[in-house]
Amino acid sequence: MSRFFIEKGKIRDNIGIIVGEDVKHISRVLRLGVGDKVVLFDDAGWEYHARIKESSSRELRVDIFKKVLPRRESPIEIILGQGLPKPPKMDFIVQKGTELGISEILPFNSDRSVPKFTYYKSLKKVERWRKIALEATKQCGRNLPPFIASPVDFSEILSKDLKDTFKLILWEEETVGLKVVLDLNPDANKFFVLVGPEGGFSGREIRKAREAGFNVANMGIRILRSETASISILSVIQHRFGDLN
């Protein structure tokens, strides 16, 4: 059954109001009308099973007959600090990271980042990434899209205050493998992972990361593209510590 996001303020007395692009998608693409069922979810994790009551070109009114709080979020928290790659690759990382249960995505400008986003340009990009994350949330059955921050400089990423978090940075020139590093904390349930852009991290950035308490690891003998490394590390962590069975 199709799932759609609804703001909590649009629900009152078991009546929900759907507005925006979803109205067109429900009516014209899915060809659903009065009496058909839909599933809604809000930003608090609740899911609503509803039946379309009234339909117009601007909004749909639905009767909510069931409210549940499903457990589809990962039991672990993974924050991905992503060195900005070229735009299509970032779209891919956001989409697949959402499907893999990521909690937050923190884009940053690295020494070797090709795109250097200005403040105003980054606002448009973040808006796009959040829309991609919301669509992926609908598709994969999650009830909470990941938080996606505006791009910052690498130094701000390192200064992020995270307690009881296993901090990891991937670097192809490191001699210590990922398995060895993850074995250092087998009971971890909160991770902060840094992945570089297309050109990888500079030696200066790795030194700064070590000083900030990050564990450094490589992911094997093959050099992975930035987007491959990001999705791979999320999959590994979810399989070992999370709910990817």
Side-chain angles (χ1 to χ4, degrees), residues 21 31 53 62 67 72 79 90-91 112-113 165 211:
E21 295 181 1
R31 297 186 178 279
K53 180 180 181 181
V62 298
K67 177 182 177 182
R72 299 198 188 102
I79 302 171
M90 190 64 185
D91 293 353
R112 296 174 180 169
S113 292
T165 300
E211 293 171 1

Side-chain angles (χ1 to χ4, degrees), residues 191-207:
F191 300 82
F192 186 22
V193 183
L194 301 185
V195 178
E198 285 95 340
F201 288 109
S202 66
R204 180 192 71 86
E205 289 172 324
I206 294 297
R207 289 193 299 274

Side-chain angles (χ1 to χ4, degrees), residues 11-69:
I11 298 175
R12 179 175 294 181
D13 298 328
N14 290 326
I15 297 294
I17 300 177
I18 303 173
V19 296
E21 295 181 1
D22 284 341
V23 174
K24 180 179 178 180
H25 185 75
I26 292 171
S27 301
R28 299 185 185 180
V29 179
L30 298 178
R31 297 186 178 279
L32 299 179
V34 174
D36 290 322
K37 297 177 182 178
V38 293
V39 177
L40 312 175
F41 65 96
D42 62 24
D43 54 5
W46 287 97
E47 187 172 271
Y48 307 89
H49 294 239
R51 186 176 286 106
I52 298 175
K53 180 180 181 181
E54 298 176 17
S55 175
S56 72
S57 60
R58 293 187 177 183
E59 67 178 37
L60 298 176
R61 289 179 177 267
V62 298
D63 279 325
I64 296 171
F65 59 85
K66 185 178 181 181
K67 177 182 177 182
V68 295
L69 189 63

Side-chain angles (χ1 to χ4, degrees), residues 7-8 14 17 45-46 54 58 70 77 103 125 135 151 163 201 215 220 227 239:
E7 296 179 5
K8 210 166 185 181
N14 290 326
I17 300 177
W46 287 97
E54 298 176 17
R58 293 187 177 183
E77 180 178 343
S103 306
K125 290 295 182 182
E135 290 301 317
K163 296 181 180 179
F201 288 109
N215 297 279
E227 67 273 25
H239 176 65

Side-chain angles (χ1 to χ4, degrees), residues 75-126:
I76 62 173
E77 180 178 343
I78 308 177
I79 302 171
L80 173 66
Q82 177 64 52
L84 284 167
K86 294 178 181 178
K89 296 180 180 181
M90 190 64 185
D91 293 353
F92 176 83
I93 292 168
V94 169
Q95 182 188 64
K96 301 310 175 186
T98 300
E99 292 177 26
L100 286 167
I102 199 168
S103 306
E104 297 182 35
I105 301 177
L106 309 179
F108 61 88
N109 288 306
S110 177
D111 286 346
R112 296 174 180 169
S113 292
V114 175
K116 300 287 187 180
F117 291 157
T118 62
Y119 174 74
Y120 292 105
K121 186 177 180 181
S122 70
L123 291 180
K124 292 183 178 180
K125 290 295 182 182
V126 171

